[in-house]
Structures are given as C-alpha cells and as structure tokens.
Amino acid sequence: MLRTHTCGELRLTDIHKTVTLTGWVQKSRDLGGMTFIDLRDRYGITQLAFNTNWNSDLVEKARSVGREFVLQITGTVIERENKNLMMPTGEIEVKVTTFVVLNSAVTPPFTIEDHTDGGDELRMKYRYLDLRRNTVRQNLELRHKLALETRNYLDSLQFIEVETPVLIKSTPEGARDFVVPSRMNPGEFYALPQSPQTFKQLLMVSGFDRYYQIVKCFRDEDLRADRQPEFTQIDCEMSFVEQEDVLQVFEGMIRHLFKKIKDIDLPPLPRMTYEQAMREYGNDKPDTRFGMKIHDVSSLVKGKNFKVFDDAEVVLAINAEGAAAWTRKQIDELTEWVKRPQIGATGLVYARHNPDGTVKSSVDKFYNDEELSGWAKELNSGTGDLILVLAGPETKTRKAMSELRLEMGNRLGLRNKDTFSCLWVVDFPLLEWNDGDPNLLASLAGRWHAKHHPFTSPKPEDIALLSSNPGAVRANAYDLVINGVEVGGGSIRIHSSELQSKMFEILGFSKEEALKQFGFLMNAFEFGAPPHGGLAFGFDRLCSLLGGADNIRDFIAFPKNNAGRDVMIDAPSEISQEQLHELRLATLPLNKSV
Ligand code: ASP
C-alpha cells in the first residue's frame, strides 16, 4: 500500500505516530512562513502542515501544488493549535517530512465542495469529478448499503439471486423496447429487458421457489426526474403463495431496510384499495403524509344556477387547513397555477372559513350562508381553513385536484422529506382502455391494455366478468407507495396456459401473435407451473427516498440527462457505415475508402 492510514482516521490518540497518507489536494492556504494543505480521500480530510522553520524546501514545494493534485506524504501526527471540532480529524494535523506529487491536475471546471459552483450539465460532463464530492459519494454509499441489506434480508429467507439475460426478445406490450441489431442474424433484433418478468416466472416453473435479482431494466420512455432509460429493480418472485404472503414478506423487507438504513421502526403498513385511493386522493399513489382528502361535492353544489358547477360532470373540493389567511394575490396566483396546461383546470372556486365562523366564497352570488356552511360541514373545515373547488369532466378534474392537493401540501409545508408514510395500494383494475398512451406504440391504441402486465391474475371472483365487462375486473395486484412515490409493484400471476391465452385474446392478440410472442411461457405452463407471484421495487427510487432527494439521478453513478444522453461519454452516438453495413442497417452504399 502507498499509505499507512486514510485521510479520515487520525485522532489525538495517534499523536507522535509516523504516518503516510495519500489523497487529493482539497485546498491549500499560504500564510507566509506556514502553509497548510487539506488532503482528501474517500474517508475524510486531514490537514497537512508545512513550516519554513522545519523545512523551507518543503514549504516551497507545498506552495507549488494546485487543487486536485495527487500527493503521497509522510510525517508525524501532531496536535493542532487551532482545533476544528466540526471535522473528525480536526484536532490533529500532520507535520510533513517528505512528500511526493503522484500526479498533477488541471484546474477542475467546478469546485469539489459540498456546495459546488458547477451547474448540472457541467457536473454531468465531468461526472468522475462530481463523484469526488461528499454528497454524491455518500449517495452511492447509501445505495451500496441498501443493496447489501436487501441481499441480507432476502438471503435469510432462502431467496436466491439468479441472473437473467439482457439480450432478449422484443414484446410490444408495456413500454417501448430498446432494441439491439443482431449481426449474426441479419435483419433481426434483440430487445433489452423492460424487466425480467417472464424469466422469473420460468424460474418458478423450474422449481426455484424464491428468486430475486438486483437487476438493470431498460424502457424507452419519456424521461422525468424519477425516470431513467436504464434503471435498477429489486426483482422478486415466489412460488406457492397468495397475495397476503407476498405482502407480508416484502413489508418485512421494507421494514428491515428502514431500520438498517434510517433506524426507523415502521408501523404496520396500511392497505388501501385502488378505488379508495382514486376517490380520496385522485391518484393511485397517494401521498398520505397529509390528509386534505378529496370530497365529491357535486350533489351539494349543483342546482343553484351556477352554470360552471351545473354543467360539470363532477365538482371536487379539498380543505386546506390554516390557509384562510391567504391573500387575494396568493389565491389568484394559485388560480393561474391550476389553469396551466399541465394541470388543465378552467378555474378555481374557493371559500374562506373565517375566524368569526362565517364561510365566504368566491361565488357568494349563488350560495347563501347556510349552503356554504354545508360545504364546510362536508369538508370538516374549521375556522382559518380554505376550501378549494374544481369542476369539470371526471377524470381530468380528479387528476387536476390530485395535483392541486399535492401543490397545497408543498405550499403548506406538509411534505417533509424526513417523514415517511408507506402503504400498500391493492385491488388494481386488471385492464385499462388505451386511448392513445404516448408511451405505447400507436398500434396498441383503441384496445384494452394490461394495467400491470399481461401475466397478472384476475381476482378469481371477477373472472366471470372477463368477457362481459373487462373494465370491471380487479387484479390480484399491489403497489407499495411511499410519500406519493410508487416504490414497488407486483401481482399474483396467471399459471394456467388456458387463462393466459384468454388474457392475450382480451388484449387483442390473435392466437398466432400470442404464440409467436409468448409461446415459450404458455408452453412452460403446460409442464406443471406452480401458483406464483412476486413484485419488483424501483431500487433507484428507494435510494432517493431514503436519501431524502427527489431526483434518482443523484443516486446513480453515471446517469443519463433528461434527453436520455450520457454527456460524459457522449452517447448515444452515430456508428460507422461499416458497422451499419455489417448490421444490415445501412441506407447508403459502403464507401470502401472510409
Ligand atoms: N415486472 C414487474 C414490473 O417491472 C413487476 C412484477 O410484476 O413483479 O413492474
């Protein structure tokens, strides 16, 4: 080893020891006769001291090193005169006797500090420098610990980790696939897995019984803060289980992770049906850190000659506690906010529950005091609260109200990152009608789409509805939601090839198509498939939640930007005509001289 100690470990108890340290120059201070260098490595920072009285040549040399030079120094640990109790090594320094510049460095494009001056794009371009910063490194340390504890927990319950292939077959169900041309099979393509779903089910047919994998998945979707084209799942599957068993085992895992990573004892996780989540929160991943539930006030407010409400399919309201004091200006600004195209409401009606107990609304012309008190009663508002009302078509208004609720939660400080509210959302619909989801191929529009995926089992009591009323069929499917983020989801699977064929039929596959795409799975089911089920957690999301951040990028060593680009290695990139020709993708004749 080129060092005897790291830059984070020396203390007063090490005084008089001769030590050798290696690391990067965080900064240096030249105080005339004295020069100090902060030497940094993964473990911390140690102050190096140089003094003309000890050795003037060394002071000269110390003055010549720049930020991020790589040094190896040897010296004696001494007690510091000016102690810095904010840092673990702040009571000592090393009186340097020899030092070697292991490598010089050009001036970094941004400061390697917790609060850096580098913008996002610049830090992405020089990600290896960004990774030298404490905050980013700590995020990756958390990620490592989370993976380790996941493995510990699952291993203790006899789960085994099995790797599944990355070059697989394209299936147009689900999101769009990333595809890889095959040189050896001209004109044919592999797809990168959106998840190892079918493989883990096949492993159950093979008798593996309890499988998991911390695995990369790929989806060609539009990107957002919590989405990356490649991301990591904790993917799990179990045999001979019912929904309750899966929920128990993975509730245990979440509890284990919270305890080990945050030292938090989670209470038993509540369950909420999809129907209740949509009704009360307008959303299938409710943020339950705060109440402010959505109330349908249609019957209460209609028929009073207020055309906006009378013409609306639905009128929804929430009660923002303590917001009655909001000024007209604040409410006008909120009205503009709900009218933005992303939210899409046409206007915002409000009612203040005043300190004197009266309720005054922005539509007082149409509603008398008694009627407004009725609003207050329905919403359980008290003095000092503000009732907010949106009206319009059902789906759109519910969605807008869900957004408004979250926004009010933000503005009222109800969404604290250190508070965790976890729950299971259960009883999802099996199918949803696709009227042109931009994340799906256009050819899939105008037909039923599996809400979870096509292998999800309907609730046995709803199977009879499959032909007559597919939209009403509920699935044995569940999501784990934490603070309004869908952290995991899964289902009990279909294990009969007959029911699986029926499902493909409902999803609009012809028999031939279903066989071509998924024949391997249906065949496998004929060789004795056990009842099975499982789920997958978004590992990056779990990291960012536990790390108290919004963006999963901060927890991925080398992430892509919002345009799906890696700006550091500059990918994706064009490939040569020669490569295109080999792959039979060329549109131009090959120029032999290139
Ligand atoms: N494969 C599913 C997903 O990626 C999870 C599961 O059903 O286990 O969402």
Side-chain angles (χ1 to χ4, degrees):
M1 294 289 287
L2 297 182
R3 64 182 176 206
T4 56
H5 294 79
T6 70
C7 294
E9 66 177 300
L10 297 173
R11 300 286 184 273
L12 278 180
T13 45
D14 298 303
I15 279 185
H16 306 312
K17 276 189 193 155
T18 299
V19 296
T20 301
L21 303 182
T22 50
W24 288 262
V25 174
Q26 175 81 22
K27 60 172 181 244
S28 60
R29 272 153 301 153
D30 185 0
L31 308 179
M34 300 274 302
T35 290
F36 296 101
I37 290 179
D38 281 352
L39 195 69
R40 182 196 72 238
D41 66 9
R42 195 186 121 189
Y43 308 92
I45 287 180
T46 298
Q47 178 165 295
L48 312 179
F50 303 83
N51 192 323
T52 32
N53 295 336
W54 302 333
N55 184 333
S56 55
D57 285 352
L58 275 186
V59 174
E60 272 315 300
K61 206 168 162 194
R63 281 187 186 139
S64 70
V65 303
R67 274 198 286 147
E68 303 305 314
F69 274 45
V70 188
L71 307 185
Q72 180 194 41
I73 65 94
T74 299
T76 317
V77 182
I78 58 173
E79 186 168 358
R80 268 210 223 180
E81 264 175 40
N82 295 319
K83 297 197 168 61
N84 176 357
L85 298 180
M86 302 294 283
M87 52 194 287
T89 61
E91 293 187 276
I92 58 95
E93 60 193 4
V94 178
K95 176 180 172 182
V96 177
T97 48
T98 59
F99 98 75
V100 182
V101 174
L102 295 176
N103 214 337
S104 61
V106 295
T107 309
F110 50 85
T111 55
I112 314 287
E113 303 275 356
D114 290 358
H115 296 286
T116 173
D117 56 359
D120 243 13
E121 270 306 279
L122 195 62
R123 288 191 292 114
M124 285 298 155
K125 187 164 159 56
Y126 297 93
R127 183 65 168 172
Y128 46 89
L129 295 179
D130 201 25
L131 290 170
R132 285 186 188 168
R133 299 194 307 121
N134 286 327
T135 44
V136 193
R137 194 199 60 245
Q138 281 158 2
N139 287 346
L140 292 187
E141 285 169 357
L142 181 140
R143 187 182 174 101
H144 161 74
K145 194 156 178 220
L146 201 60
L148 186 66
E149 287 302 339
T150 299
R151 291 197 163 98
N152 285 344
Y153 177 82
L154 292 173
D155 179 67
S156 77
L157 293 179
Q158 274 79 50
F159 281 81
I160 67 166
E161 187 161 17
V162 181
E163 287 172 278
T164 52
V166 172
L167 295 175
I168 66 167
K169 183 183 171 80
S170 179
T171 56
E173 258 304 308
R176 287 191 181 82
D177 284 327
F178 281 102
V179 294
V180 180
S182 165
R183 181 184 56 84
M184 285 191 289
N185 302 276
E188 294 188 314
F189 297 81
Y190 300 102
L192 306 181
Q194 297 186 26
S195 86
Q197 185 61 36
T198 48
F199 290 97
K200 67 175 172 176
Q201 292 193 240
L202 292 172
L203 287 171
M204 294 304 110
V205 177
S206 310
F208 276 85
D209 195 72
R210 289 181 168 206
Y211 142 95
Y212 82 100
Q213 186 181 186
I214 297 184
V215 60
K216 271 287 171 72
C217 301
F218 307 84
R219 291 182 194 172
D220 188 2
E221 291 176 312
D222 294 338
L223 306 179
R224 294 193 306 242
D226 62 349
R227 275 207 192 135
Q228 282 273 309
E230 54 176 300
F231 60 97
T232 305
Q233 286 190 340
I234 308 171
D235 188 45
C236 310
E237 196 74 6
M238 306 170 76
S239 286
F240 305 114
V241 286
E242 293 175 329
Q243 172 165 314
E244 188 57 34
D245 305 303
V246 179
L247 299 191
Q248 295 281 344
V249 167
F250 291 98
E251 187 164 326
M253 186 179 97
I254 288 298
R255 187 165 288 121
H256 174 84
L257 295 176
F258 268 82
K259 182 72 191 162
K260 291 286 179 185
I261 309 288
K262 306 285 292 183
D263 197 25
I264 290 176
D265 289 297
L266 285 181
L269 306 199
R271 315 252 172 109
M272 188 185 291
T273 63
Y274 171 84
E275 187 276 326
Q276 186 189 354
M278 294 305 286
R279 183 162 37 82
E280 294 184 346
Y281 299 90
N283 197 313
D284 61 6
K285 39 181 196 298
D287 185 344
T288 48
R289 277 174 296 183
F290 64 108
M292 215 188 282
K293 288 181 188 169
I294 299 173
H295 292 245
D296 184 337
V297 292
S298 309
S299 59
L300 201 66
V301 302
K302 282 189 174 211
K304 310 285 174 192
N305 294 324
F306 181 39
K307 202 165 156 28
V308 175
F309 287 175
D310 286 351
D311 291 351
E313 193 182 349
V314 71
V315 185
L316 301 175
I318 52 173
N319 178 40
E321 284 180 24
W326 277 28
T327 60
R328 185 59 204 263
K329 196 165 159 235
Q330 277 176 298
I331 296 177
D332 285 349
E333 196 268 314
L334 193 65
T335 308
E336 287 314 307
W337 187 89
V338 297
K339 283 171 147 176
R340 296 180 324 153
Q342 301 94 308
I343 310 296
T346 45
L348 176 68
V349 168
Y350 64 91
R352 285 197 174 91
H353 199 137
N354 293 315
D356 63 5
T358 59
V359 183
K360 291 279 167 233
S361 80
S362 55
V363 286
D364 272 358
K365 261 207 302 220
F366 304 98
Y367 299 92
N368 61 31
D369 287 352
E370 197 184 324
E371 283 158 350
L372 289 173
S373 297
W375 294 20
K377 189 152 173 253
E378 163 67 26
L379 281 136
N380 277 323
S381 72
T383 56
D385 293 353
L386 178 69
I387 295 169
L388 299 169
V389 190
L390 296 178
E394 164 89 42
T395 311
K396 199 171 162 201
T397 308
R398 219 165 258 291
K399 201 162 164 286
M401 190 47 114
S402 163
E403 296 291 342
L404 176 60
R405 176 183 171 272
L406 293 173
E407 181 63 20
M408 289 305 289
N410 284 337
R411 295 190 187 197
L412 295 173
L414 303 173
R415 304 181 74 193
N416 182 345
K417 287 201 165 61
D418 298 323
T419 308
F420 295 96
S421 181
C422 315
L423 76 156
W424 291 107
V425 177
V426 297
D427 295 356
F428 276 81
L430 183 71
L431 303 160
E432 66 188 347
W433 188 254
N434 170 18
D435 44 23
D437 182 338
N439 270 320
L440 299 174
L441 290 178
S443 58
L444 295 170
R447 58 197 224 186
W448 289 107
H449 179 71
K451 174 113 185 130
H452 189 54
H453 52 55
F455 318 108
T456 293
S457 151
K459 286 204 177 287
E461 61 269 33
D462 289 358
I463 289 182
L465 295 171
L466 266 177
S467 311
S468 58
N469 187 4
V473 177
R474 289 165 308 158
N476 269 326
Y478 32 79
D479 275 359
L480 179 81
V481 176
I482 305 181
N483 294 0
V485 177
E486 181 200 322
V487 167
S491 59
I492 297 299
R493 325 298 183 187
I494 295 169
H495 65 279
S496 115
S497 61
E498 206 182 315
L499 184 56
Q500 189 64 71
S501 311
K502 168 100 188 148
M503 184 70 184
F504 286 132
E505 192 187 311
I506 292 167
L507 294 173
F509 285 75
S510 69
K511 260 205 168 60
E512 297 68 46
E513 274 170 342
L515 272 177
K516 196 164 163 230
Q517 300 279 344
F518 296 111
F520 62 95
L521 188 70
M522 292 195 290
N523 282 341
F525 282 175
E526 292 186 347
F527 290 93
H532 60 287
L535 80 183
F537 293 93
F539 184 62
D540 314 281
R541 283 187 193 172
L542 203 50
C543 291
S544 69
L545 257 169
L546 289 167
D550 291 324
N551 202 320
I552 63 171
R553 263 199 292 179
D554 299 340
F555 293 81
I556 296 173
F558 298 105
K560 310 272 186 288
N561 73 5
N562 279 347
R565 296 199 70 83
D566 183 325
V567 292
M568 182 183 68
I569 58 172
D570 193 21
S573 61
E574 288 178 356
I575 59 174
S576 71
Q577 280 294 320
E578 189 182 0
Q579 284 170 295
L580 287 171
H581 270 271
E582 276 194 347
L583 296 167
R584 314 279 167 105
L585 294 172
T587 48
L588 300 169
L590 181 60
N591 178 354
K592 289 270 191 296
S593 64
V594 174

